[in-house]
Structure formats: structure tokens, C-alpha cells
Amino acid sequence: MDRLSTLLKHFNLHASTFHQGGFCGTSHLYGQQSVGHAHLLRSGRLAFRDKRGQRLELTEPSLILAVRPQEHQLSATEADDAELVCATLQFDGGANNPLTLALPDYIIKPLGELQGLNGTLDWLFEEAFGDECGRDVILNRLFELMVIQLLRHLIASRSIASGMMAGLANTQLSRALVSIHNEPQRSWTVAELADRAGMSRASFAAHFRETVGVTPADYLAEWRISLTQKRLREGRPIALIADEVGYESPSALARTFRRKVGASPREWLQQNTA
């Protein structure tokens, strides 16, 4: 069972490297663009300040990841001798898609704790501080690979306590979640999802809500709406989308869309393409 491929198929990641080398001074990232950021501290010291003003001193090679637009600040003095590689991150489906919303505002980890990423990180630093042809393109792909491997790590280590990622880390609940992700057009019942999870209906419903934070029916509806939003951005007509995500008519989809989002599909699209 592949817990990530369908998510990444719908909400694919695109990285763009914008800094590699020494860093001295203060960099303010205001989160006003619809991109996230990844910063890799290769060596030296670095101070990080989040949007609430909390400050953290990094004294060993580390990853700073903000998958959604988040205000933050990086600073280092000349004596800190910091070396950084940084990239912007943009996801298909917009900045607030189910994958990014399932992650914390910031993930900050020493590289030594990220088991399974060593080969990719070594290669990324080798490219960043080398001068081979095609370096920029390779760096972008390596950042994308690094984020996918980090998602694997977060699931395997059960690092996130609630939400979709916590559900995917659960052996039983993940079967139901993957079923929803793979077949959103199917009229799933709680009993069918419980059967996929190998649990009783009552136990499944309670455990799903406790872990993921919503009922199975609400999660299915939210997943369908997220897919609808992505396809609206791509210019697909609502009549086709309704069939693809499991609604009997465009009006039925529009009613659920308004209930969940607070606007009609057309109004939402106008607001998000202005």
C-alpha cells in the first residue's frame, strides 16, 4: 500500500533553488507569496525566528521547512560562518492543499536525525557547492526528493500526532485513507471503510475521529472539495469534476462546496485567480 503517491500525484511539489553558499546578515521572508521554503544549514551557526517572534539557535547542520507561506527570519554574523542552501516550494492545488495543511507551520530538525535522507542530502550539498553543468535543475529535483523522503520519515516515525499524517502513520486507518484518496468518486460508507481498516464500525469511527480530527464522512467530503478546487484552478468544467469526485450532479457538488468553503465554485475561483 502506497500512502503518498496519490497525494503527490494530485498535489505535486515544485522546488526552485534561490541561494547556495555563505550567508551573513538577516533575511526576512514575509510569507506574502504563495510559496513555502526549505533551508538547509550545511555548516556554521544560524538563528531562526518564527512568525510569533520565537528565536531558535541552530548550531549543527539542520533543516528548516515551511511548506506553506510563513513569515520567518534567518540571521547570522560573519563569525557564525554559516553555509546555506535554500529553495522555494510550490504545490499543485495551491499553498493550502491537504498535504501542506497536514504538516506543522515549521519543521526544524538536525540533519543527523533524518534517517534515510543522508544520500540525498550529501548529493544536494555536493551539487550546491560544485560547478557541474545542469546544477540548478538537479538541485531543484533534489529538494523535491528530499521533501518526499521527509514525508516518508514523518510517517514512519509517527512524528505528527493528529490529522491526516497521523492517520497515514496508523496501520489500520491508513488503509481507509488511501482508499478514499484513490477512489474519491466511490460512495464510501463507514462500514466499508471500517472493513478496509479491519476494524468494527464503531471502533473505526471513534478511532478515525480521534486521530484524524474529523469523521470519515467529513474527511471524504473535504478530500473531494480539495480535488475540486485543484481542478477548478486547472480550468476543468464543474460538470466533469462532479462526476470525477463522486457527486450525482454539478448542483450537488456546488451545494457541498458552498457549505464547506463558504462560496460557490465560481466565486471561489474568482477569488483565487485574481
Side-chain angles (χ1 to χ4, degrees):
M1 181 181 64
D2 190 331
R3 290 171 282 183
L4 283 176
S5 287
T6 298
L7 281 166
L8 291 164
K9 173 186 173 184
H10 290 300
F11 304 104
N12 194 25
L13 167 64
H14 308 277
S16 180
T17 308
F18 66 89
H19 176 86
Q20 58 265 352
F23 176 77
C24 178
T26 300
S27 176
H28 296 274
L29 298 166
Y30 293 103
Q32 294 171 338
Q33 295 178 311
S34 60
V35 297
H37 289 88
H39 309 288
L40 288 168
L41 176 63
R42 183 195 192 196
S43 60
R45 298 168 59 93
L46 182 72
F48 166 81
R49 190 184 300 274
D50 68 15
K51 62 185 178 183
R52 292 173 291 274
Q54 296 179 328
R55 180 182 170 92
L56 180 66
E57 296 282 346
L58 305 179
T59 59
E60 60 183 307
S62 300
L63 164 68
I64 301 170
L65 182 70
V67 291
R68 298 183 301 282
Q70 302 283 344
E71 181 181 352
H72 57 285
Q73 180 189 100
L74 307 176
S75 59
T77 66
E78 187 173 350
D80 290 325
D81 201 23
E83 288 188 328
L84 280 176
V85 188
C86 305
T88 59
L89 306 175
Q90 193 160 15
F91 289 81
D92 293 343
N96 293 315
N97 64 74
L99 185 54
T100 60
L101 290 174
L103 297 171
D105 287 348
Y106 308 99
I107 295 173
I108 304 174
K109 288 185 175 292
L111 300 187
E113 294 182 6
L114 298 177
Q115 300 300 318
L117 279 70
N118 294 341
T120 299
L121 292 169
D122 289 344
W123 188 7
L124 193 153
F125 286 135
E126 182 179 344
E127 290 289 339
F129 293 90
D131 58 0
E132 296 290 338
C133 297
R135 178 182 68 168
D136 291 347
V137 175
I138 290 176
L139 278 174
N140 294 344
R141 300 295 86 79
L142 288 172
F143 264 110
E144 293 162 8
L145 177 59
M146 180 202 73
V147 173
I148 295 170
Q149 290 180 319
L150 177 65
L151 295 174
R152 278 184 178 177
H153 171 80
L154 294 174
I155 291 173
S157 61
R158 302 192 175 194
S159 299
I160 298 177
S162 62
M164 180 184 72
M165 293 295 286
L168 291 175
N170 181 284
T171 303
Q172 293 176 295
L173 295 182
S174 62
R175 298 181 194 134
L177 285 168
V178 170
S179 296
I180 290 172
H181 294 165
N182 289 342
E183 299 181 82
Q185 74 283 0
R186 182 166 170 172
S187 298
W188 290 104
T189 65
V190 174
E192 288 172 332
L193 292 170
D195 185 62
R196 290 290 175 97
M199 303 172 70
S200 71
R201 185 183 183 281
S203 177
F204 168 76
H207 194 32
F208 191 101
R209 182 161 192 167
E210 179 183 359
T211 303
V212 182
V214 295
T215 66
D218 280 339
Y219 185 89
L220 173 60
E222 290 171 5
W223 175 248
R224 287 171 167 176
I225 295 305
S226 295
L227 295 179
T228 298
Q229 291 172 324
K230 176 179 181 288
R231 292 169 187 180
L232 286 171
R233 288 176 183 270
E234 296 168 347
R236 296 180 68 81
I238 192 73
L240 289 180
I241 298 173
D243 184 61
E244 291 170 351
V245 299
Y247 287 92
E248 60 187 18
S249 67
S251 59
L253 171 56
R255 285 194 298 271
T256 303
F257 194 101
R258 180 178 286 278
R259 178 166 55 85
K260 291 288 186 181
V261 179
S264 71
R266 178 177 294 180
E267 291 167 345
W268 179 87
L269 186 60
Q270 291 172 343
Q271 294 165 4
N272 284 272
T273 56

